[in-house]
Structures are given as C-alpha cells and as structure tokens.
Amino acid sequence: MVTIETIGSKAVVAPVQPPRLAWLAATLQAVWRALSLWQRRRTTRVHLSQLTEDQLRDVGLSPDMAEREIRKSRLLLVERPYQPPF
C-alpha cells in the first residue's frame, strides 16, 4: 500500500476579523496615532517655551518664531505658577 502525502503549508495564517472589528481596530489605531502626535507636539512646545534667547539662536529660531509656535498650543497659554516637566 502506498501512502500519499498531501501538500500542506506550515505558514501561519492570521485570523480573519469581521468587518466591524477591523473598522473598530483601524479607528482606534488612528485615534492613538493622533493622540501620540498631539502629545509629541505639546512636549516639544513645552521644551521650546523653556529655552532662553541664546539657546533659541543656537537652534536657528528667533524669539518671535518660537512664540508663534508656542501659541499654537492653547494649553500652554494659561498662566501657571509652575510648568510641569513633560
């Protein structure tokens, strides 16, 4: 008697998600990326607001340019006695 081996693939196949779950996953991923970008920009603006005029010149920015960029973050415009280190 002869045995015949079937051709099989040992590749890992990702489970197929129903369309609703795929849409939800894509939406959550997009929201996460948007929040990450917002946080990175805010952190950069906080650091920019703490630079002196000499340090701004070293990176090639004028105080006016830095002020315009800082004003893009409305949360930084609130007067605070202490600026948290982000």
Side-chain angles (χ1 to χ4, degrees):
M1 176 165 235
V2 177
T3 57
I4 300 173
E5 292 186 27
T6 58
I7 300 173
S9 173
K10 295 187 182 196
V12 177
V13 178
V16 177
Q17 294 181 346
R20 185 189 319 176
L21 291 179
W23 176 83
L24 179 62
T27 302
L28 290 175
Q29 192 175 40
V31 168
W32 180 258
R33 275 184 286 191
L35 287 174
S36 296
L37 178 62
W38 175 81
Q39 178 63 31
R40 186 175 42 194
R41 286 179 177 169
R42 184 178 184 286
T43 302
T44 303
R45 289 176 181 142
V46 167
H47 291 298
L48 185 63
S49 70
Q50 295 171 349
L51 295 178
T52 64
E53 288 187 31
D54 292 333
Q55 291 170 330
L56 288 171
R57 272 197 307 259
D58 285 344
V59 295
L61 294 174
S62 70
D64 293 333
M65 292 168 66
E67 186 66 29
R68 272 184 273 150
E69 186 61 35
I70 293 167
R71 288 196 177 278
K72 289 180 183 179
S73 182
R74 291 187 175 99
L75 293 177
L76 295 177
L77 298 179
V78 176
E79 291 294 327
R80 296 183 188 144
Y82 172 72
Q83 180 68 41
F86 289 100

